[in-house]
Amino acid sequence: MENLSRRKALSLGVALGLVGVANPVQAWASTGSATRDAAGTGPEWIWDDAADPLMASMLDNGHVPAINRAWESWVDNNDPLPSGLPSAFAAYLRKVNRLPSWADPAKLARAADFNRRRDTYLFMLYGLGSGIMSTVIPREARSVYWSAGGADMQDRAAKTFTFGYDLSERGAFEPAGQFVVTANKTRVVHAAVRHLLPQSPHWRAVADETIPISAADILVTFHSLGTFVHRKLLDWKIPYPAADQEAFLHSWQVAVHLLGVPYEHIPRTWAAAEKQSAQVLTPILTPTREGIALAEELLGLTAQIDLGVTRGFLNEFVRYVLSDEVGDWLGLKRDYAAAALVRTGWPAFILFREGLSPVMPGTFYLFDQFLRALAMLFLNKGASGKTTPITIPTGNRPG
């Protein structure tokens, strides 16, 4: 059984471009961090000492509805903290609502410019790659499904997309940007879920952890997003100079830190990130009942945009970016005509967009319009605004 699991991890590692799968038990010693993790002190044993007790108190004392009302107007990084917040909550935000001292403004500015230049590929990879990959990360799938957000996947997808979109915006980390606020709101939501989800008998019945969303879980999610996208851009031979790679990584390092992951556990280089991803992400990918249901909901939402794109096209694009093995796990029906379209049309689309081919492929407008519609679907549920309100839950998914 152990050899079978290892072969499965290796095959997925090759499919996802994350080779060199090793023993996941040793993974956190390979982060590129300054110190080696002792047993019981690695990121799988770290949650959020600052936000967790605060949010337990806010929830238990009924303050969350007032917080949600008060912080609706708190959007831009330079917005003043709203009035009406409990004093302890406002004090916490004043402490954390800033960039870490090691953040490099020049790299963050370049990352924002890179994200805008590459938003076509990022929308597709985050939406149909990372988004669907999350449904075969067992802990993430179960936590999402049984939390309040799992009962309204379009709303949750919009909020998740907002996190990535705000990270990708020009000036995301500057005063007029929105990402620092978005990250701090997300961190608070994570803390609320850590308090609420263990109260769900449905989650406890399937979970292999007693408290969700550890620092290790956040790092796994980072690998399903940042590390995965980094590798795909290289595999697709999209022009991606070293300075862009370094800036893109730095933006994710800052983002992960703003979510509460200690600096010493954040990978320092893409080589370290890919090594860690091959150890802690690839081997754990597997289907769950909750994940299969979430994938079906997400692909059903995406199918709403239509534009002549069939569900078969969506299924085959997922298979193209994640592997047929993941597609089979999720029960994605084959459409071999769509598979041929994706596997020949997408590389031709990239070549034309990058000026590497003078021939516009017949599928150019199909891919181009689909990507734009995909972005708008998840931005505030397809509304014109670019900000999706992030609210703190007060309960879990109904039984």
Side-chain angles (χ1 to χ4, degrees):
M1 181 62 71
E2 181 178 347
N3 288 337
L4 178 62
S5 298
R6 180 167 175 77
R7 285 198 300 272
K8 180 188 78 171
L10 284 168
S11 67
L12 268 177
V14 172
L16 298 177
L18 302 171
V19 294
V21 178
N23 182 356
V25 173
Q26 301 172 353
W28 304 120
S30 305
T31 63
S33 59
T35 59
R36 186 179 180 90
D37 301 322
T41 61
E44 65 269 40
W45 301 101
I46 296 173
W47 288 272
D48 196 327
D49 289 343
D52 290 352
L54 172 72
M55 289 315 301
S57 172
M58 294 296 106
L59 284 160
D60 291 345
N61 289 289
H63 294 311
V64 167
I67 294 172
N68 284 332
R69 288 191 298 271
W71 79 0
E72 284 182 356
S73 61
W74 186 49
V75 176
D76 293 344
N77 297 334
N78 61 355
D79 283 343
L81 288 181
S83 59
L85 295 174
S87 59
F89 190 79
Y92 162 80
L93 291 181
R94 279 193 291 270
K95 182 178 179 180
V96 302
N97 193 47
R98 65 191 66 180
L99 291 175
S101 60
W102 47 266
D104 185 327
K107 288 182 180 179
L108 294 177
R110 183 171 185 125
D113 180 63
F114 163 76
N115 286 330
R116 289 295 85 204
R117 286 184 278 115
R118 294 289 175 244
D119 61 0
T120 295
Y121 311 118
L122 298 182
F123 282 146
M124 188 67 95
L125 286 170
Y126 285 147
L128 292 181
S130 304
I132 303 303
M133 191 194 299
S134 71
T135 69
V136 292
I137 300 173
R139 285 185 173 181
E140 185 167 349
R142 287 166 174 152
S143 293
V144 168
Y145 186 88
W146 289 114
S147 66
D152 185 349
M153 278 308 295
Q154 184 159 355
D155 180 69
R156 188 187 187 280
K159 291 170 181 173
T160 302
F161 196 94
T162 294
F163 185 90
Y165 190 89
D166 288 351
L167 175 61
S168 301
E169 277 282 80
R170 287 188 185 275
F173 296 91
E174 296 174 6
Q178 298 180 355
F179 184 75
V180 178
V181 169
T182 295
N184 277 298
K185 287 185 175 183
T186 302
R187 180 177 177 179
V188 165
V189 170
H190 285 172
V193 170
R194 290 190 195 99
H195 182 64
L196 292 168
L197 207 49
Q199 301 173 34
S200 166
H202 309 289
W203 179 79
R204 290 199 309 269
V206 296
D208 65 349
E209 55 187 345
T210 56
I211 304 173
I213 320 178
S214 68
D217 293 332
I218 293 174
L219 285 168
V220 166
T221 299
F222 153 64
H223 291 309
S224 74
L225 291 158
T227 308
F228 168 73
V229 168
H230 166 75
R231 172 45 50 190
K232 283 298 181 184
L233 292 178
L234 292 174
D235 289 347
W236 288 348
K237 296 181 172 54
I238 292 167
Y240 187 26
D244 281 353
Q245 295 182 41
E246 187 176 357
F248 184 52
L249 174 62
H250 189 64
S251 69
W252 271 106
Q253 290 169 329
V254 175
V256 168
H257 183 71
L258 288 174
L259 292 179
V261 177
Y263 176 73
E264 62 267 22
H265 295 299
I266 300 172
R268 302 290 194 270
T269 65
W270 278 124
E274 291 201 83
K275 182 177 181 180
Q276 188 182 91
S277 180
Q279 293 174 309
V280 303
L281 172 62
T282 309
I284 68 170
L285 297 178
T286 196
T288 61
R289 181 174 67 88
E290 292 85 357
I292 291 170
L294 292 176
E296 185 60 31
E297 287 189 61
L298 287 170
L299 288 170
L301 291 173
T302 309
Q304 293 175 16
I305 65 178
D306 193 14
L307 295 176
V309 174
T310 66
R311 174 60 189 270
F313 172 89
L314 297 175
N315 289 353
E316 292 299 336
F317 205 96
V318 170
R319 287 176 175 273
Y320 177 64
V321 295
L322 291 183
S323 80
D324 283 330
E325 186 170 16
V326 171
D328 290 343
W329 285 348
L330 297 175
L332 304 183
K333 293 182 179 178
R334 297 306 310 258
D335 183 328
Y336 292 102
L341 173 69
V342 169
R343 293 172 191 275
T344 59
W346 182 251
F349 174 77
I350 290 174
L351 287 173
F352 181 76
R353 277 193 62 93
E354 296 305 317
L356 302 174
S357 169
V359 180
M360 178 187 290
T363 55
F364 178 85
Y365 287 108
L366 169 68
F367 285 113
D368 193 57
Q369 293 304 305
F370 174 71
L371 286 163
R372 295 176 190 278
L374 179 69
M376 288 310 301
L377 172 69
F378 294 122
L379 289 176
N380 205 16
K381 295 187 176 182
S384 59
K386 294 190 297 183
T387 299
T388 296
I390 296 176
T391 54
I392 304 167
T394 56
N396 297 309
R397 184 187 184 115

